[in-house]
């Protein structure tokens, strides 16, 4: 509403309400009320970290899309450090950003920055991860995160043979020993992924087809702070010692992100599993189609991942930014799901796909996301 009011108040804008650059007047030319030249507008893009290749790809794609549309871009990565991200956003605001696109580290830690943005009439788009506990989140571009969790659990069931890839009932009846992992509790997405996964797995746990031998099924017990690979590796090592030293074997692991999957696989291989699926490595799922994991899938080590086309997400962020900067509301396709604790944030959700070895070609190579050489080498 705030933005609509401003867009409709060309006369007031002319009086200087938003006369300086970076005051959200981005949407209008100060004197005429006409749309501003993109070349006069700067978009601040705050990304969490460069340790995961997906965020580098996201940052690059958003920057390129905005530059192609004529805007200036201030792209920052925060090394997964919350104060650094806060500081970067503060600086973007001080330096006169006209709009912010933010993939948060801790979704609950940016309320002060977002208040400053709102005070300067700067629209904020949450990117991939919802920013919580603030009314000053204007839009959210993401994937259908609940569905991602459903897909992760589905691929686990397919890997175990409980389901076929087409969703029909498979031949295997279990019981299968499985362990569960979730992402960082301060990332809103982690909760959606886990909920989608558990809603899918619960009936098989109840029926005894799946046995979570450690008994650890609460998200607090299975979460991985900051999505760190080493943390997941350590927890898998601990699980093998605490729960599987009686000679029993773990057969499946729900992992919500490729970085964690690689840590889990390392722990399993170090303990003598595998090294490949055919040689007894458990079915391990993933997310993000990171090149190192796509290679592992191609080599029959990791079983699956979820492909979220970051090019499409970046494109959607750019389209939404353009709407705000033209004084309009971006188009949402979901206005119910993402309650950030203060309000339901209008969202645009994109679709994801399950990657198995046999569709790497059609999903990832044919679409130009990775080349055949990259898949073979595991290097971007
Ligand atoms: C989530 C994101 C996932 C994955 C994870 C770890 O927020 O949606 O795709 O990248 O963070 O970086």
């Amino acid at each position: 509403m705030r933005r609509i009011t401003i867009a409709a108040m060309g006369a007031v804008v002319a009086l200087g309400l938003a006369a300086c650059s970076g005051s959200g007047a981005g949407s209008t030319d100060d004197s005429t009320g006409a749309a501003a030249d993109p070349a006069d507008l700067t978009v601040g893009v705050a990304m969490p970290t460069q340790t995961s290749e997906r965020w580098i790809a996201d940052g690059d794609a958003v920057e390129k899309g905005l530059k192609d549309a004529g805007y200036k871009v201030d792209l920052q990565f925060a090394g997964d450090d919350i104060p650094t991200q806060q500081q970067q956003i503060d600086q973007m605001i001080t330096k006169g950003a006209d709009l912010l696109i933010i993939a948060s580290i801790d979704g609950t830690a940016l309320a002060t920055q977002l208040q400053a943005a709102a005070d300067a009439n700067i629209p904020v788009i949450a990117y991939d991860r919802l920013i919580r506990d603030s009314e000053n989140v204007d839009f959210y571009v993401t994937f259908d995160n609940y569905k991602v969790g459903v897909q992760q659990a589905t691929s686990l069931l397919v890997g175990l043979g409980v389901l076929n890839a087409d969703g029909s009932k498979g031949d295997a009846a279990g019981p299968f020993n499985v362990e569960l992992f979730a992402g960082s509790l301060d990332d809103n997405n982690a909760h959606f992924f886990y909920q989608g996964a558990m809603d899918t797995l619960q009936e098989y746990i109840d029926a005894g087809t799946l046995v979570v031998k450690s008994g650890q099924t609460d998200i607090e017990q299975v979460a991985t702070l900051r999505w760190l690979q080493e943390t997941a590796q350590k927890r898998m090592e601990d699980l093998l010692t605490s729960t599987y030293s009686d000679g029993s074997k773990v057969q499946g692991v729900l992992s919500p992100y490729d970085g964690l999957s690689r840590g889990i696989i390392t722990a399993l291989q170090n303990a003598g599993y595998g090294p490949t699926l055919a040689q007894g490595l458990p079915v391990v799922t993933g997310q993000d189609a990171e090149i190192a994991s796509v290679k592992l899938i191609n080599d029959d080590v990791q079983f699956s991942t979820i492909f979220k086309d970051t090019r499409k997400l970046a494109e959607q962020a750019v389209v939404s930014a353009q709407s705000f900067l033209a004084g309009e509301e971006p188009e949402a396709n979901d206005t119910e799901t993402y309650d950030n604790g203060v309000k339901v944030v209008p969202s645009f959700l994109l679709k994801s796909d399950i990657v198995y070895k046999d569709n790497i070609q059609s999903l990832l190579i044919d679409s130009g996301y990775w080349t055949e050489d990259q898949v073979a080498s595991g290097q971007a």
Side-chain angles (χ1 to χ4, degrees), residues 52 54-55 128-129 187 189 193 227 257 287-288 308:
S52 150
R54 81 146 285 189
W55 297 115
D128 194 83
R129 298 172 172 175
D187 179 348
N189 286 352
F193 301 148
W227 299 92
Y257 159 59
Q287 175 174 206
D288 282 353
K308 304 196 303 190

Side-chain angles (χ1 to χ4, degrees), residues 5 17 23 54 85 91 102 104 108 129 146 175 195 197 223 262 265 276 282 284 287 294 307 326 353 360 379:
T5 315
L17 175 72
S23 59
R54 81 146 285 189
Q85 185 165 61
Q91 274 172 12
I102 303 172
S104 57
T108 65
R129 298 172 172 175
Y146 180 87
Q195 192 65 49
R262 294 193 297 273
I265 288 169
T276 66
V284 180
Q287 175 174 206
V294 175
F307 175 41
D353 290 294
I360 289 176
Q379 308 278 330

